[in-house]
Amino acid sequence: MKNLEELRKLREKAQKEIQLRSKDARVKVVVGMGTSGIAAGAREVLKAFITEINQKNLTDVMVTQTGEKGMSSMEPIVEIHEEKKPVIIYGDMNPSKVKKVVEDHIVNGKVVEDYLISMEEK
Amino acid sequence: MAHRLNVLVCSGASCISNNSLKVKEAMLAEIERLGLNKEIKVIETGCMGPCQLGPVILVYPDETLYKKVQVEDVREIVEQHFLKGRPVERLMYKSPLTDELVHKSSEVDYFQKQYKIVLANCGNIDPESMEEYIAVGGYEALGKALTQMTPDSVLNEIKISGLRGRGGGGFPTHLKWMFTKNEKSDEKYVICNADEGDPGAFMDRSVIEGDPHTLIEGMTIAGYVVGASKGYVYVRAEYPLAIERLQKAIGQAKEMGFLGEKIFQTGFSFDLEVRVGAGAFVCGEETALIHSIEGKRGTPRPRPPYPSASGVWGKPTVLNNVETYANVRHIILNGGAWMADIGTETSKGTKVFALSGTIKNTGLAEVPMGTTIRELIYDIGGGAPEGHEIKAVQLGGPSGGCVTPEYFDTPIDYESLTQLGAMMGSGGVIAMDETACMVNTAKFFLDFTCFESCGKCTPCRVGLKQMYGILDKITKGEGEEGDIEALEKLGHTIKTTALCGLGQTAPNPVLSTIKYFRHEYEEHIHEKKCRALVCKDLISYEIDADKCKACTLCAQKCPVDAIRGQRGVVHMIEQEKCVSCGSCFDVCPFGAVQRLSGEN
């Protein structure tokens, strides 16, 4: 260890590993993982989110899951939660749609209307 | 690659003894089976605090707190929660006040009144991973001190912070460091006292088990200030896990250059070594501890000279407790003024307490100085179990004393507790309800200190034995007029004449119970009564004829055939034969056997 600079670089690298334990995620992605969601491919959607987010090094995005949402025909369903914004719900998701949602919505803040099912005011 | 879930499995000694490591293994296997291993990271952490809920598992980012998780529960948690996102409610923490599920660990009442500085990383990072420690800012304080501050400016921050010794004495840390710094010597030493020996105290163990690098960093900074190049951590042998993790951490720190030659490419070099104590309580006393490190018999010597002038190997030595060192990095990173803002006029920062005894939430809690005893016992500790009432808390273990409910609103700081006849001590808090006999409690502590007395000075070696003899007599119903006064006289004499802290504080549990529970002593002596029904020789057993169903169970169990009666004939105890063993009381399914004291 030469100096503080080097230590801080090491810290930045290490921080990614414990990011989940801090409580300040900007965006929360919630994937519906009920039985029908999983049958419709929610696992792949979830994995795709994680891959995309890691590739883009988005450290302030948290991916989590929830149970059945009650709209089985629209599964896999994904909710995007952001502070002080309505909750955006996308339906019929797949890995390639995930890519677009991450790029357009999570990175650039533009809702992808094509996949949108509803917006819920908090 | 980052993960989707972090699963923190508490691996403090308490949770481990409740099988947390087996739960972790089962969890890893289940995660593997479902192919989730790339998404979920399972981490062993140090003590999270709520030991009575163990094994405890904390899941991030959801902040779900699972309690009492057993191997059989693992499959459900992994399938339902980790895979499908449905937390397993039956294993989640429920608020004892509202009986409602608590969805986030930060909302658990046990944590809400706490303020974690020393324990911030405990239960949040993997103690065996230096990377995780670095991720939460580890070793930045050391880097800052070494490359941007002079030893004097570091010392000044410690002074501003108002940090005082957390081992119990409360001596200002900056003075200790300054005295050692001002000594001229070719070699100086830094020692950490981790010989935590008080019954009911486990703060130091938890800090080392949960966050060993914090201790290393604090000690290295102390070395920089006083001009030492070598340090020892004196840990008791009864803490194998703490020793193992500390040694591992020292190895990692050496590898990365946080210990060793020319740290951060400055002229400062520092090395650390673990010394394992052989289990003598007196070795927690600083001069005895130093003798023990030198390989000599662990007995104290008179002071002065203090260790700051002549410590280990006769060289100037700074000696602090684990918790004291654990505060150092936070002071350097946040500035002394930050800590001076927390706490009371005379006591700054926080204090870690180990809660035990008849209290709902046993475990580890860190609170700002100035928190009242009531808040600690009721808001965090949850009070006594249903149907019981706390009549006293014992603070400071065998060196401390008890405090009664009318003083529970006293803010916790060094001075107020000493005034009450208790002491901060290392932070052991033992709650006692009406089932505790105060005379017997005092006898328990004295039994401990008599056994642990090293024998070097007469007041402690002989005086404590005499006190114990009187207490023993009282609990056996042979107490006489004048016994209480004799205890007080002996106690005060030992306090003023014993050589070291062990003897000087050992009478405290007796003196403080006499102060607050004199009536219990008097009842034992004059009425031969133990109201808590604890002292065997003062209690008798009787069978309530109305409740007795004449089942003969008690008669079968009685070891001395003292119970008369047969099936269909109500039983009776022959008092002349009865040895008060209590087995009839324990076996009676109808509650017909009554335990009495002082009735005749």
Side-chain angles (χ1 to χ4, degrees), chain B residues 266-397:
Chain B
T266 63
F268 175 66
S269 302
F270 190 76
D271 198 11
L272 211 52
E273 198 182 308
V274 176
R275 287 292 169 109
V276 179
F281 180 65
V282 72
C283 287
E285 195 281 337
E286 58 181 17
T287 59
L289 185 152
I290 287 168
H291 285 154
S292 177
I293 288 181
E294 291 171 341
K296 296 176 189 151
R297 191 173 160 192
T299 53
R301 63 160 175 80
R303 299 173 301 178
Y306 286 90
S308 55
S310 176
V312 71
W313 318 117
K315 303 288 183 186
T317 301
V318 66
L319 201 152
N320 287 117
N321 167 267
V322 176
E323 202 184 326
T324 315
Y325 286 123
N327 273 291
V328 171
R329 65 177 279 253
H330 300 280
I331 296 171
I332 302 304
L333 287 178
N334 303 317
W338 162 81
M339 180 174 277
D341 249 10
I342 308 163
T344 68
E345 194 63 34
T346 56
S347 308
K348 304 296 187 189
T350 59
K351 178 78 189 83
V352 183
F353 290 96
L355 309 179
S356 62
T358 46
I359 193 166
K360 274 191 203 147
N361 307 327
T362 54
L364 210 58
E366 181 173 0
V367 293
M369 297 278 190
T371 302
T372 64
I373 300 172
R374 189 179 303 282
E375 286 172 306
L376 184 64
I377 298 298
Y378 289 94
D379 296 349
I380 295 173
E386 297 318 324
H388 296 271
E389 205 174 314
I390 294 174
K391 73 170 176 185
V393 291
Q394 218 278 347
L395 298 168

Side-chain angles (χ1 to χ4, degrees), chain B residues 306-535:
Chain B
Y306 286 90
S308 55
S310 176
V312 71
W313 318 117
K315 303 288 183 186
T317 301
V318 66
L319 201 152
N320 287 117
N321 167 267
V322 176
E323 202 184 326
T324 315
Y325 286 123
N327 273 291
V328 171
R329 65 177 279 253
H330 300 280
I331 296 171
I332 302 304
L333 287 178
N334 303 317
W338 162 81
M339 180 174 277
D341 249 10
I342 308 163
T344 68
E345 194 63 34
T346 56
S347 308
K348 304 296 187 189
T350 59
K351 178 78 189 83
V352 183
F353 290 96
L355 309 179
S356 62
T358 46
I359 193 166
K360 274 191 203 147
N361 307 327
T362 54
L364 210 58
E366 181 173 0
V367 293
M369 297 278 190
T371 302
T372 64
I373 300 172
R374 189 179 303 282
E375 286 172 306
L376 184 64
I377 298 298
Y378 289 94
D379 296 349
I380 295 173
E386 297 318 324
H388 296 271
E389 205 174 314
I390 294 174
K391 73 170 176 185
V393 291
Q394 218 278 347
L395 298 168
S399 315
C402 61
V403 176
T404 46
E406 60 264 40
Y407 300 100
F408 281 1
D409 290 313
T410 311
I412 293 168
D413 68 25
Y414 294 98
E415 281 70 23
S416 331
L417 292 186
T418 309
Q419 251 172 25
L420 290 179
M423 73 186 279
M424 183 79 81
S426 47
V429 177
I430 304 170
M432 289 176 284
D433 64 9
E434 71 288 345
T435 62
C437 165
M438 301 315 280
V439 184
N440 194 58
T441 304
K443 186 175 126 181
F444 165 80
F445 282 116
L446 224 61
D447 185 30
F448 177 83
T449 39
C450 276
F451 181 78
E452 294 291 351
S453 172
C454 77
K456 188 166 178 174
C457 74
T458 317
C460 180
R461 184 186 67 241
V462 180
L464 293 181
K465 271 252 149 53
Q466 294 303 320
M467 286 182 80
Y468 179 82
I470 297 174
L471 288 169
D472 192 46
K473 220 175 69 177
I474 297 176
T475 55
K476 287 195 168 134
E478 295 156 14
E480 324 161 73
E481 192 67 49
D483 278 350
I484 300 177
E485 291 71 22
L487 282 173
E488 286 176 321
K489 192 173 174 203
L490 273 165
H492 290 297
T493 311
I494 297 169
K495 270 175 81 103
T496 45
T497 53
L499 171 60
C500 82
L502 195 164
Q504 287 161 9
T505 58
N508 285 350
V510 182
L511 296 175
S512 83
T513 46
I514 291 179
K515 184 173 169 191
Y516 296 115
F517 295 94
R518 198 179 183 99
H519 55 279
E520 288 199 21
Y521 280 82
E522 285 166 348
E523 282 168 5
H524 277 74
I525 295 170
H526 303 303
E527 299 168 40
K528 310 298 173 201
K529 173 182 174 182
C530 174
R531 61 164 66 198
L533 303 172
V534 169
C535 297

Side-chain angles (χ1 to χ4, degrees), chain A residues 11 17 21 33 43 65, chain B residues 6 39 41 82-83 124:
Chain A
R11 180 182 180 180
E17 278 296 310
R21 283 169 252 172
M33 295 279 277
R43 289 275 303 139
Q65 354 75 308
Chain B
N6 277 187
E39 298 165 39
K41 189 177 182 193
F82 299 174
L83 180 64
N124 198 39

